Amino acid sequence: NAGVMQNPRHLVRRRGQEARLRCSPMKGHSHVYWYRQLPEEGLKFMVYLQKENIIDESGMPKERFSAEFPKEGPSILRIQQVVRGDSAAYFCASSPFEQGGYTFGSGTRLTVV
Amino acid sequence: KQEVTQIPAALSVPEGENLVLNCSFTDSAIYNLQWFRQDPGKGLTSLLLIQSSQREQTSGRLNASLDKSSGRSTLYIAASQPGDSATYLCAVREGGATNKLIFGTGTLLAVQP
């Protein structure tokens, strides 16, 4: 079992570009979560998805950010028109059922220049 | 609003010492509590998961306790080793419909050889 796979590991974008972060959950896990870790801050919840459904997006910024978890393929976190303040580590986690323990991926480190 | 605090923020000990990391949370209505380890530039590794009905969990040299009524958890590391050097994070999962983890800001542990 390859674990939770995130790619790319590092992503550099210029201000105004789009960033697409991908997450493949562990085999058999249908619950996916995205967290953001800003420099010198703790991890903050962004969004919780199940296949084809957004369950809780209370941590997502209202504009420019979106997430999906299609029936086939990885979960995608999309950030449009990136700004310097979006520079952070973005972590994806998955669990096998609603209240199961989390397994985290290695993260995508986004740098906006 | 749930808040999770970890004390101390940083800790340096000589190799071989036993040590305790503390985690406190403001709302005792949690579903479970999870301890993670984060190495620099890496993802999170789950160490121990304690369900709200449990008092402690053990794995090797690690022991985590949970006192839900007082809003506290401790992570005990026996016979520390330089390889234990990392940031240790505790996270609580709230009960009810929400499935997100609320993280503390972590304890940065350095074990000196």
Side-chain angles (χ1 to χ4, degrees), chain B residues 14 19 95:
Chain B
L19 58 101

Side-chain angles (χ1 to χ4, degrees), chain A residues 21-33:
Chain A
L21 288 62
R22 289 177 290 278
C23 169
S24 296
M26 284 186 71
K27 188 175 181 180
H29 288 196
S30 59
H31 300 256
V32 167
Y33 319 84

Side-chain angles (χ1 to χ4, degrees), chain A residues 3-93:
Chain A
V4 178
M5 304 300 294
Q6 288 188 251
N7 63 80
R9 292 292 301 276
H10 300 275
L11 182 62
V12 180
R13 285 287 178 266
R14 296 186 183 279
R15 280 179 295 172
Q17 291 185 320
E18 178 179 283
R20 291 168 65 94
L21 288 62
R22 289 177 290 278
C23 169
S24 296
M26 284 186 71
K27 188 175 181 180
H29 288 196
S30 59
H31 300 256
V32 167
Y33 319 84
W34 287 92
Y35 284 76
R36 178 166 65 173
Q37 188 173 36
L38 292 165
E40 307 304 323
E41 293 190 21
L43 281 121
K44 304 292 185 187
F45 169 81
M46 298 182 75
V47 62
Y48 163 37
L49 310 102
Q50 294 181 32
K51 284 286 187 181
E52 300 185 276
N53 288 304
I54 297 175
I55 307 302
D56 180 355
E57 56 181 347
S58 59
M60 288 276 272
K62 293 288 185 279
E63 298 177 350
R64 303 187 296 107
F65 285 72
S66 62
E68 63 177 8
F69 188 18
K71 187 177 180 180
E72 301 290 339
S75 175
I76 305 289
L77 178 68
R78 182 184 295 113
I79 311 172
Q80 296 177 304
Q81 299 177 316
V82 297
V83 300
R84 288 231 171 102
D86 297 332
S87 295
Y90 292 82
F91 291 96
C92 169

